[in-house]
Amino acid sequence: MGSVAEQMVEVLRQAGVERVYGVVGDSLNPVVDAIRRTDGISWVHVRNEEAGAFAAAADAELTGSLAVCAGSCGPGNTHLIQGLYDAQRSGVPVLALASHIPSGQIGTGFFQETHPERVFTDCSSFCEMVNTPAQLPRLLRVAVQHALGAGGVSVLVFPGDVAALPAAGPTGTSHFLTEQAHAAPPWSQVQAMGAALNAASSVALFCGAGVRGAHAEVMELAGRVLAPVGHSLRGKEWIQYDNPYDVGMSGLLGYGACHEALHQAELVVLLGTDFPYDSFLPQARTIQVDHDATRLGRRTPLELAVHGDVSATLRAVLPLLEQKQDRSFLDELLNKHCRALEDVVGAYTRNIEKHLPIHPEYLASVLDELAADDAVFTVDTGMCNVWAARYLTPNGRRRVIGSFLHGSMANALPHAIGAQLGFPGRQVISMSGDGGIGMLLGELLTVAKYRLPVKTVVFNNGALGMIKLEMLVSGYPEAEIDNGDVDYAAIARAMGIQAKRVTDPAKVREVLAEALERPGPVLVDVVTDPNALSIPPRITAAQLKGFALAAGKTVLSGGVGRMIDLARSNLRNIPRP
């Protein structure tokens, strides 16, 4: 029957797992050896377990399958924390194997002793410890199904000596449920939603990641009630493309007329979004639709809570809706959206080839133009989030992965590792800030070791740009945000990665095009303007006072790339009398 560790690996293979991300060592050795001797599964040697958890999160998000990371006892598995929080909050199926000190030493203050079954409870939906061989394989199967069923993190803790013991029984087989049902709303809620939509003189839709797979239904709803459609950052990739009702994004990274649409509409409908920034929501006259009933009403008071999958809900309510005839609210917001974009588009179009340091807006817009139609972008937390929100153009095939809910720094490069291993033939681009890449710089060694064709584009402004913005709006002068003038291209070349440093804006397009065409890993280090910052579409008087106290030369708006073309196109499509 083999060992407990061999049983673990056999169950992982039954669940379709092909990779385990982690750093080998002591209490993990029985599992690593079992992987070495098992066909169809391999160990991915990252340089920090945190990166392994981030890589697993991206792998799971893109493939929809279970991804696995691992950490040895004590600091080995506590390093997993950031990536596991990211996976849990993003709702992607990740299993963490957290090995423990020898079972006879638990509770004695032994070398590297922690209590992983306590440590990981807040970043997982399942966390249990294997104390005896008899608990496997059943407990591991429970952990796997929790991750797949709940959409989040499971943690299996096991002492290293238990993993090396002989198995207590045969492994057997069991089917894992991977395809879940779509929740249909109660008919009473459908009727109430239909009545509210018919009664409202103006409606605005705000969409999150929960509209994935419901693009056609949302467009039909918007057309029926003549509603402007805004979105969160996580909703952007699923709803902005082929959308003649688009009015942009709200929130801290927002642009366009989304904020106005939500605050001026008689009725707001939140579709598949758990948007955390309640200050950007009207806090009144709102319907929310979500498949997770625990999210209903936790960001804003509701006139109606609807429990159901977005696509199923809209298919049920559409037959009840009357076709609205008055386009004035929709057309007014489409015009406001276009004007808002035109007012700031010059921020990245003026003096492009002369402006030094390079506009990060220009860099992002060129990257968007040159990237493949099915590219996967991984985006660092901070100002890279802003440039991704405003410049990456969704088309229904591209993916954008980031730590959008947990907000951890340094996620882009390890996310790119998991994305590339999950889709070896797909173009993967890491939009890395210099602060982020500096934090987990060692993962360039992982990229080099496996010759992963990740294209890492460093937005190198020599500072923690988002922290600078936070200090400015709070009235604090900037302090301790300087990252220094670091040549990341030189570092990458020393690791065996092809790399170039760009300081001349006239060279940006040429270097990016060459990098994206080259086989294997490439890093492009672009020196960008540290004063290119961005503020939300609406700011408070206190924030304005903060800018007045602390701001020097600061760009407060940013361009919006090809989205201005979409907005102008939508205006041309407005019916004329």
Side-chain angles (χ1 to χ4, degrees), residues 386-548:
V386 178
W387 313 136
R390 296 189 171 190
Y391 294 96
L392 297 186
T393 306
N395 57 12
R397 299 174 62 200
R398 286 179 167 181
R399 295 300 315 275
V400 181
I401 305 295
S403 187
F404 298 140
L405 293 176
H406 186 48
S408 178
M409 284 181 64
N411 63 282
L413 183 57
H415 270 166
I417 291 169
Q420 194 72 83
L421 287 166
F423 286 96
R426 200 163 171 181
Q427 186 182 77
V428 176
I429 301 169
S430 172
M431 292 177 62
S432 297
D434 57 311
I437 199 167
M439 188 175 284
L440 286 176
L441 188 61
E443 298 314 315
L444 285 175
L445 293 169
T446 306
V447 172
K449 171 182 171 65
Y450 294 101
R451 305 307 300 166
L452 298 177
V454 170
K455 313 308 178 191
T456 303
V457 181
V458 182
F459 286 67
N460 187 356
N461 63 7
L464 299 175
M466 186 62 76
I467 308 303
K468 177 178 180 177
L469 179 60
E470 291 170 358
M471 288 178 171
L472 288 172
V473 299
S474 299
Y476 299 114
E478 61 184 71
E480 301 302 328
I481 61 168
D482 184 14
N483 289 330
D485 182 16
V486 180
D487 187 341
Y488 292 98
I491 295 172
R493 284 193 295 270
M495 295 181 179
I497 295 173
Q498 298 178 83
K500 283 192 175 181
R501 182 173 170 91
V502 184
T503 58
D504 181 355
K507 297 289 186 181
V508 167
R509 182 176 297 273
E510 172 191 338
V511 172
L512 283 181
E514 181 184 359
L516 293 176
E517 289 298 321
R518 277 183 177 270
V522 182
L523 182 141
V524 180
D525 179 19
V526 184
V527 179
T528 61
D529 189 348
N531 292 316
L533 303 176
S534 176
I535 60 172
R538 286 292 182 273
I539 59 174
T540 67
Q543 289 172 329
L544 282 174
K545 181 181 178 182
F547 273 109

Side-chain angles (χ1 to χ4, degrees), residues 198-219:
N198 284 331
S201 61
S202 59
V203 179
L205 308 181
F206 187 63
C207 302
V211 300
R212 180 178 183 176
H215 186 278
E217 289 88 347
V218 176
M219 293 300 100

